[in-house]
Every structure is written in C-alpha cells, then in structure tokens.
Amino acid sequence: MAVSLHFLLILTLITGTESAGTIGKVSVKAGASVSIPCPYSSQHRNNVKYLCEGYYWNSCSYAIKTNSQHESQKYSISDDQIQRIFNVTIKRLTVENTDYWCAVEIKSGSDDRQYFHLSVTKGTPSLFVDDQKVTGFIGESMTINCHSRTSGIIKWCKLHSTCVADVSGLIDGTTVTINMKETNVFSVTMSGLRPESSGWYYCAKGDFQMPVHLTVTTKPTAAPTTVTGARESATEGQKQNTAQDKSFPVTMSLIILLSSLIFIVIVALSFLFILRTKRAKIQDSTASKLNEGELAYSEVTFKKTNAAQ
C-alpha cells in the first residue's frame, strides 16, 4: 500500500494532476445566469434529481426537479445519464440567490446532496469565463481564458476525472497547458481533442470555481465548401459575363437595325417630299401653259371676228 501511494504521489508530481472535486463556490454578477453541473454515482442514474435552495439542508426548499417541470422563469434542469451529471441553471441572479444544494433522491435512505455557494456581486466577479459553453474539434486545440481577481492556486479540472495544477498535464489523454497571459487572466489550452474530451470542466483559483462545458465534434468541411462557393461564384460570374457578352452584339444589332430603319424612313419621306414638290411644280407649269393657250385662242377668235366685220 505504501508503495502504491508513493507511486501515485510521484505520478501526480510528474504530470501535474490530482483528483477533481466538485463545484463549491462560484462568483457571478447580479442579473446574469449561471449553470452548475452536479455529478452523481452510476447507481443513481434513474433517480430523481433536484435543486434545493437554502443554507440549511433541513430547511431548504425545492427549486426544480427532473420528474416535474424542467424549466421555469428562474430555474432549469437537465440530466445527462451518460456523463452522470445533471445540470442546473439559475437565471436573473440577485444577491439573495446564494445557497443551494444539488440533490439526488434516495428511496431507502437520506438523499445524496452537495452544497454550493453563489457569490453574487454587482461588480466584476472574482473568477469568470467568456462563455460557459465552448466547442472544439477532434484532433485540434482550443483555449479557454479564465479571468480572475483573486489569489490562490490555479487549476483546470474535469468532473469525474482529474485536475491539472501545474504548467502542463494530462486529462483523459488530452494535453493541458496553463499559461498566464495577463495579470488577471490565465489561459487553458487543450491539445489533441478527442470525443472523450467532451464534458464538464472548471477553472479554479483559490476558493472559487467556474464551470465550463466542452463539446468536441468533427470539424465541418468549411474550406472545401468555401472553395466550392468561390468556384460557383466565379462560374456564376463567368456565366453573367458570357450572357452580357452575348447580349451586347444582340443589342448592337438591334440598334443598327433600328438606325437603318429610321434612315430608310427618312430617305423615303425625303424622296416622297421631293416627288410631291416636283409634281406640284409640274402641275403649276402645266396650268400656266394651259392658261396661256386659252388666252391666245381667245385673241385669235377675237381677231377673226374683227375681220368678218
């Protein structure tokens, strides 16, 4: 036994890992929402889970249960029986929302329970993350930034598993690296993500913890889709250019045809105008000649009459 304990101690020092605890104290801002994971034993998978509000267990009141309403304006609850963790969300937090119990109903004895405290502040929380729900892709890396305004030992832990309390370590085969990016920020990078890496984790510094849920999925084929989209866009552009190129000669032909028709009409009208003008002149000339002829005939007749007399 002594040898085994000594081996575990050496392993802990080498890998920077230790056993994970539970969520005990969380700092949140008034008016915000927070999700708290509550782990339970495998033999309690089918038991009723619930959230109880109050500092003392004997006098706490039911907030929400899995066998009744799963969501209200203030609370919501869900049970992941595969991970053996039920999750409770408390919304629109006030300074009075401080003391809660995660509990599992036990028919043949006292309910299994775990107390946690919410430190609700109007200012910046002592320990918080940008988002409690993050997504990573298989085989890749992802980084979570933990913002802290408190002092103490820094840890990154996974529920039902271990913690990394050093610069680097392993959690379920995934490499974890902790870096101090800024004075009040430490970043946690998880490399070589696997489907088994999915689950509830938490940042820890001093007395505070902040839960984070990680979902690891297959990365969508964004690059081929983008290339295909670009090709389709280029093809569509070429089609549009081709259509424009084809429409250009047609448009020019129509313009030329219309211009020719207009020119022909103008020429025809001019020709008709000239013909009418010539006809008018001819008619005027003919009329003038006829008039002159009648006048000469009258004069001749008049002369003949004088001769007879």
Side-chain angles (χ1 to χ4, degrees):
M1 178 65 70
V3 175
S4 299
L5 291 175
H6 183 66
F7 174 75
L8 289 175
L9 178 60
I10 294 174
L11 181 62
T12 299
L13 293 174
I14 292 174
T15 61
T17 60
E18 59 183 53
S19 298
T22 56
I23 305 301
K25 189 176 182 180
V26 179
S27 179
V28 288
K29 188 174 183 178
S33 301
V34 66
S35 295
I36 305 296
C38 305
Y40 57 85
S41 302
S42 57
Q43 65 267 28
H44 298 151
R45 275 193 173 93
N46 299 320
N47 294 42
V48 175
K49 289 86 178 178
Y50 62 94
L51 178 68
C52 203
E53 183 178 8
Y55 181 76
Y56 296 103
W57 168 250
N58 293 332
S59 60
C60 72
S61 58
Y62 288 115
I64 196 165
K65 302 176 70 174
T66 56
N67 65 342
S68 59
Q69 185 182 11
H70 285 200
E71 186 171 4
S72 66
Q73 292 183 351
K74 185 69 176 179
Y75 303 100
S76 64
I77 188 170
S78 60
D79 186 10
D80 186 348
Q81 295 185 350
I82 297 176
Q83 296 287 336
R84 294 182 288 111
I85 295 174
F86 72 94
N87 174 57
V88 293
T89 300
I90 307 170
K91 312 166 189 174
R92 297 196 300 274
L93 287 161
T94 65
V95 292
E96 290 80 17
N97 302 137
T98 56
D99 303 299
Y100 291 92
W101 297 81
C102 294
V104 179
E105 285 188 356
I106 307 297
K107 294 181 180 180
S108 58
S110 300
D111 291 350
D112 189 10
R113 57 193 181 272
Q114 176 65 43
Y115 170 81
F116 66 90
H117 174 76
L118 296 182
S119 177
V120 183
T121 176
K122 293 182 179 179
T124 304
S126 298
L127 179 64
F128 66 96
V129 292
D130 299 323
D131 196 343
Q132 279 196 274
K133 294 183 179 180
V134 294
T135 302
F137 302 115
I138 296 173
E140 295 191 359
S141 301
M142 71 164 306
T143 300
I144 298 97
N145 293 322
C146 302
H147 305 264
S148 173
R149 299 177 64 249
T150 185
S151 60
I153 298 174
I154 294 173
K155 296 180 183 179
W156 175 256
C157 305
K158 183 179 182 181
L159 290 179
H160 286 314
S161 187
T162 56
C163 296
V164 173
D166 204 343
V167 176
S168 64
L170 293 174
I171 296 180
D172 295 345
T174 301
T175 302
V176 177
T177 305
I178 300 177
N179 294 313
M180 291 294 297
K181 295 181 63 176
E182 300 175 10
T183 304
N184 297 324
V185 180
F186 64 94
S187 62
V188 179
T189 301
M190 300 182 65
S191 306
L193 293 172
R194 302 183 300 166
E196 296 81 6
S197 303
S198 297
W200 277 100
Y201 296 79
Y202 61 87
C203 299
K205 188 174 183 181
D207 296 332
F208 291 95
Q209 304 90 37
M210 174 49 66
V212 178
H213 186 268
L214 170 62
T215 302
V216 180
T217 62
T218 303
K219 187 174 183 179
T221 56
T225 303
T226 304
V227 172
T228 303
R231 289 178 179 174
E232 290 177 355
S233 300
T235 304
E236 188 66 25
Q238 291 176 356
K239 289 181 179 179
Q240 292 178 357
N241 292 334
T242 303
Q244 292 176 356
D245 293 339
K246 290 182 178 179
S247 62
F248 180 77
V250 174
T251 305
M252 289 301 298
S253 300
L254 290 174
I255 293 173
I256 294 171
L257 180 60
L258 290 174
S259 301
S260 302
L261 291 174
I262 293 171
F263 178 76
I264 292 171
V265 169
I266 292 172
V267 171
L269 291 175
S270 301
F271 183 73
L272 290 174
F273 178 77
I274 293 170
L275 288 177
R276 287 181 179 179
T277 303
K278 288 183 177 181
R279 287 179 181 177
K281 289 181 178 180
I282 293 171
Q283 289 177 356
D284 292 339
S285 175
T286 304
S288 299
K289 290 180 179 180
L290 290 173
N291 290 332
E292 290 176 0
E294 291 176 355
L295 182 60
Y297 179 76
S298 296
E299 289 177 355
V300 170
T301 303
F302 179 75
K303 289 180 180 181
K304 287 181 178 182
T305 304
N306 291 333
Q309 290 178 0

